[in-house]
Amino acid sequence: MHITAASSLAALPMASGEEKLPLIPHIPELIFGFVMLGILYAVVAKKVVPNLERAYEERRAAIEGGMEQAEQAQTEAREALEKYTAQLAEARAEANEIRETAREQGAQIVTEMRAQAQAEATRITEAAKRQVEAERQQAVVQLRTEVGTLSTALASKIVGESLEDEVRQKGIVDRFLTELESGDVRPEKVTTTGQDS
Amino acid sequence: MSMAAALGGLATLSTASGDSFETPTPAIFYLPIIGEGDWAITEQMFWGGVSVLLLSLVMVRLSAKAAVVPTKGQWMMEGFYNFARNGIARDMIGSKDFLRFVPLLFTLFALILLNNLFGILPPVMNPTTGRIGFPIAFTVVVYVVYHWVGISRKGLGGYLAGLVPPGLPGWIKGPIWVLEFITFFITRPLTLALRLFGNMFAGHMLIVLFVSAGAYFLTQGIVFQLLSVPTFIMAAAMVLFEGLVQFLQAYVFTLLAASYIAGAVADDH
């Protein structure tokens, strides 16, 4: 097809003697075509493309860097949250523990206090008992003395003479009272002995 | 092309009628400015040189301070560059190997585009690439590059053997190899150069024809003067259409160059 086109063009009358077929290259133009392409290629390959590719690379790095940063921030935030959650749980556990200890301690204190109070109460009761006993003893002694005195006085009145010294000497009253306490004395006997003595 | 022949016939008719309308002939492309004959410096060479200078200055200036955040100029430069880089080189060759060929393909695209557009850009109004010397030069470079890439990758024997697609029955391999060889070594460069040249040549021819015819009609009677209006409208339409063709041819040339390189780079046919 191209060949036919060329031949039909060849059949055209030439407008000028200088003009050749359009399909035959003008040699200076052919050479200059290489030169044009070579020069522009050198400029593009040395300057234009490296500049633009560098910008692209920087842009890619910037975007990736930003994403990395965001990711890092997210990771940090997640770690912080985990840390705080852990701390919170720890604190809660600690509080629980403290509360538990306090409860135990409280219970212990109550028990101790109770025991102490019990002891105190017991002690007071004991003291009171001892005092009562002492007082009773005192009263018994006093009573015995008085009873002796009274009996002696009474007996003296009845007998008509003072028996006090004798009584004291012989410890009659004491003996009597001791017998009385031990239950050896019978009322009949008292009368008889009373009559006898 | 056959239109050029028809034009030749028209020219003889009009000269026969005695009037002075000279149909544009291929001679309008021959514009020597310095010297005569085979070694004359032509106007197209001048404009070609201007195109290289212009492209170099503008592209270096727009890309010199290329930054992460682009200026308006850099942004436009990137748009133009990405069209060749991503739209042609990466799509055709694949993201693994394409970067090596981006400078060549981008240079081809920019250079051919501007020289094509000279066809509709005042004050040039003449596509440099309408002179076949320039398309041949560009094609030779592409031709050498894609064969060289293929041979250096697969070795001469491997490259020649790889012309036949795998998986063919044995008896057909021979004829297919001959056809593929013709395609790779003859048809491809021929069509690559002629497609660009033919489109630019014919487009410029058409514009010149309509403009000169309109101008001629203005010098004739009233009927012809009225006729010159649609002729000029047609010329304007052709200018717009040629703008499209000029862009498209620059794109097609670069796209095919990329596809030839891609075929040489690819492991399989």
Side-chain angles (χ1 to χ4, degrees):
Chain A
M1 175 215 156
H2 300 296
I3 294 159
T4 55
S7 59
S8 73
L9 279 170
L12 277 175
M14 292 290 152
S16 104
E18 306 285 347
E19 176 56 17
K20 292 176 289 193
L21 279 175
L23 282 174
I24 306 297
H26 186 59
I27 299 301
E29 287 177 347
L30 178 64
I31 295 167
F32 197 61
F34 288 115
V35 174
M36 281 162 58
L37 190 60
I39 291 173
L40 192 62
Y41 178 80
V43 171
V44 166
K46 284 273 177 299
K47 291 267 177 197
V48 179
V49 170
N51 283 343
L52 290 172
E53 290 297 333
R54 183 174 42 73
Y56 288 180
E57 190 56 36
E58 279 170 10
R59 195 169 301 159
R60 196 186 59 78
I63 290 168
E64 272 186 8
M67 278 159 82
E68 259 168 38
Q69 251 170 10
E71 214 164 288
Q72 197 181 339
Q74 213 161 6
T75 315
E76 272 171 18
R78 202 179 303 124
E79 274 170 13
L81 183 66
E82 271 168 21
K83 205 169 76 179
Y84 291 146
T85 313
Q87 274 178 353
L88 196 62
E90 204 175 311
R92 202 168 282 157
E94 207 171 326
N96 258 344
E97 203 173 310
I98 288 168
R99 205 177 297 135
E100 207 56 41
T101 316
R103 191 176 294 143
E104 272 171 25
Q105 275 177 352
Q108 198 179 341
I109 287 167
V110 167
T111 315
E112 271 173 21
M113 292 299 275
R114 189 172 289 154
Q116 212 171 332
Q118 194 76 37
E120 189 75 2
T122 315
R123 195 181 56 78
I124 291 168
T125 315
E126 287 295 315
K129 261 185 197 163
R130 264 200 303 280
Q131 198 169 352
V132 167
E133 183 63 23
E135 273 170 12
R136 195 183 64 89
Q137 207 66 38
Q138 201 180 350
V140 167
V141 171
Q142 206 173 346
L143 199 59
R144 182 173 288 182
T145 321
E146 270 172 32
V147 167
T149 317
L150 279 175
S151 326
T152 316
L154 193 58
S156 302
K157 284 220 172 106
I158 293 166
V159 176
E161 68 178 286
S162 178
L163 296 171
E164 278 183 19
D165 294 341
E166 202 183 350
V167 166
R168 202 170 294 130
Q169 279 172 356
K170 294 179 180 174
I172 294 169
V173 177
D174 278 345
R175 202 169 57 242
F176 171 71
L177 281 174
T178 309
E179 281 171 3
L180 196 66
E181 274 174 2
S182 61
D184 287 348
V185 179
R186 287 173 194 78
E188 306 89 20
K189 244 185 173 176
V190 170
T191 33
T192 47
T193 48
Q195 278 174 339
D196 288 345
S197 56
Chain B
M1 300 291 172
S2 56
M3 176 177 287
L7 287 175
L10 242 175
T12 48
L13 274 181
S14 57
T15 44
S17 69
D19 245 331
S20 61
F21 179 62
E22 286 185 12
T23 328
T25 67
I28 61 170
F29 284 89
Y30 181 63
L31 303 164
I33 46 176
I34 301 171
E36 288 287 321
D38 285 347
W39 295 98
I41 307 293
T42 60
E43 198 184 302
Q44 284 92 341
M45 287 167 73
F46 170 74
W47 287 117
V50 169
S51 76
V52 171
L53 199 69
L54 214 64
L55 285 171
S56 299
L57 289 178
V58 170
M59 295 199 303
V60 167
R61 189 184 156 80
L62 289 182
S63 69
K65 288 175 187 162
V68 174
V69 180
T71 59
K72 197 176 175 190
Q74 188 195 335
W75 183 77
M76 290 193 297
M77 182 69 217
E78 281 182 11
F80 181 55
Y81 174 65
N82 282 343
F83 183 78
R85 179 191 189 265
N86 301 339
I88 298 176
R90 195 176 60 188
D91 285 1
M92 292 306 297
I93 302 173
S95 51
K96 196 164 73 99
D97 297 308
F98 80 104
L99 215 51
R100 190 149 71 96
F101 303 105
V102 165
L104 176 66
L105 293 171
F106 178 57
T107 306
L108 281 171
F109 180 64
L111 191 61
I112 294 173
L113 180 63
L114 183 57
N115 280 291
N116 285 358
L117 287 175
F118 275 165
I120 59 165
L121 285 179
V124 193
M125 291 306 285
N126 189 1
T128 314
T129 40
R131 294 287 285 176
I132 193 149
F134 298 102
I136 287 177
F138 303 156
T139 302
V140 166
V141 171
V142 172
Y143 185 75
V144 169
V145 165
Y146 80 79
H147 284 311
W148 184 76
V149 166
I151 291 168
S152 67
R153 178 165 283 237
K154 300 164 190 167
L156 183 60
Y159 182 59
L160 291 178
L163 295 180
V164 184
L168 285 180
W171 59 271
I172 210 172
K173 274 183 179 168
I176 290 287
W177 188 86
V178 172
L179 289 177
E180 289 289 337
F181 184 86
I182 292 170
T183 301
F184 268 67
F185 286 87
I186 299 167
T187 315
R188 277 181 174 184
L190 211 60
T191 54
L192 195 61
L194 285 178
R195 183 184 301 107
L196 177 60
F197 159 74
N199 274 284
M200 294 307 109
F201 180 89
H204 183 60
M205 206 73 162
L206 275 175
I207 291 172
V208 172
L209 173 68
F210 279 109
V211 172
S212 62
Y216 172 73
F217 286 155
L218 280 178
T219 66
Q220 302 299 307
I222 181 73
V223 180
F224 281 106
Q225 280 172 359
L226 285 177
L227 203 60
S228 75
V229 176
T231 311
F232 279 126
I233 290 174
M234 197 60 195
M238 283 317 296
V239 167
L240 291 178
F241 178 68
E242 276 311 305
L244 185 69
V245 171
Q246 283 155 0
F247 173 79
L248 211 63
Q249 286 307 314
Y251 177 66
V252 165
F253 189 98
T254 317
L255 193 75
L256 285 172
S259 105
Y260 299 159
I261 291 171
V265 166
D267 292 329
D268 274 332
H269 187 71

